[in-house]
Amino acid sequence: PPSNSPPPPPTCHHTYTSDSIPQSSTYSMFFDGGSRGNPGISGCGWTIVDAATDTEVAYGYKRIGYNATNNIAEYTGLIEGLKHASDIGVRVDVYGDSLLVVNQVNGVWKVKNEGIRKVYDLVMGMVRRG
């Protein structure tokens, strides 16, 4: 019998990293995520910038799928950016526009939703490892 579910989204995940990344610089990472509908079609992105020169040294984006909330999309942007910062060996100051993510990660707001708890725990583990 035919399914009423939409087909899975095509895989879409892209990253770029500059050939030269000075290890002595200070870096900023900006992340964002969003969904059309809540839950709905969603994606996220991030960029890492050399704070001294305001030069972008890496960026990435990812299609998440058809059934993610805006908050999960925001957390996914943070996770993907932190993973890439770790992969290229830089520490980053992190910036995002999601009050929920920023306040939960900074310990201002409690994490009450179990779905959010899973991605929050992942982020906090990454932050602890540096």
Side-chain angles (χ1 to χ4, degrees), residues 3-8 66:
S3 170
N4 291 334
S5 302
Y66 285 116

Side-chain angles (χ1 to χ4, degrees), residues 4-56:
N4 291 334
S5 302
T11 301
C12 179
H13 188 180
H14 175 77
T15 60
Y16 161 82
T17 305
S18 172
D19 291 333
S20 60
I21 301 174
Q23 295 301 306
S24 60
S25 290
T26 301
Y27 294 93
S28 299
M29 186 193 80
F30 301 88
F31 71 93
D32 204 1
S35 66
R36 188 168 9 138
N38 200 20
I41 298 169
S42 58
C44 64
W46 53 267
T47 185
I48 297 173
V49 176
D50 182 331
T53 63
D54 201 30
T55 303
E56 184 175 59

Side-chain angles (χ1 to χ4, degrees), residues 4 26 37 42 49-50 62 69-70 83 109 111 113 115-116 120:
N4 291 334
T26 301
S42 58
V49 176
D50 182 331
K62 179 178 184 176
T69 65
N70 190 69
K83 281 182 188 175
W109 292 356
V111 180
N113 178 286
I116 296 293
Y120 168 83

Side-chain angles (χ1 to χ4, degrees), residues 84-100:
H84 200 75
S86 177
D87 289 349
I88 63 175
V90 298
R91 294 181 62 87
V92 290
D93 295 323
V94 178
Y95 301 91
D97 65 356
S98 169
L99 287 176
L100 180 101

Side-chain angles (χ1 to χ4, degrees), residues 38-39 69-72 75 100 104 109-121:
N38 200 20
T69 65
N70 190 69
N71 293 331
I72 291 295
Y75 264 106
L100 180 101
Q104 286 179 340
W109 292 356
K110 293 179 182 177
V111 180
K112 298 176 182 177
N113 178 286
E114 277 308 307
I116 296 293
R117 167 67 62 191
K118 292 175 186 174
V119 290
Y120 168 83
D121 288 344

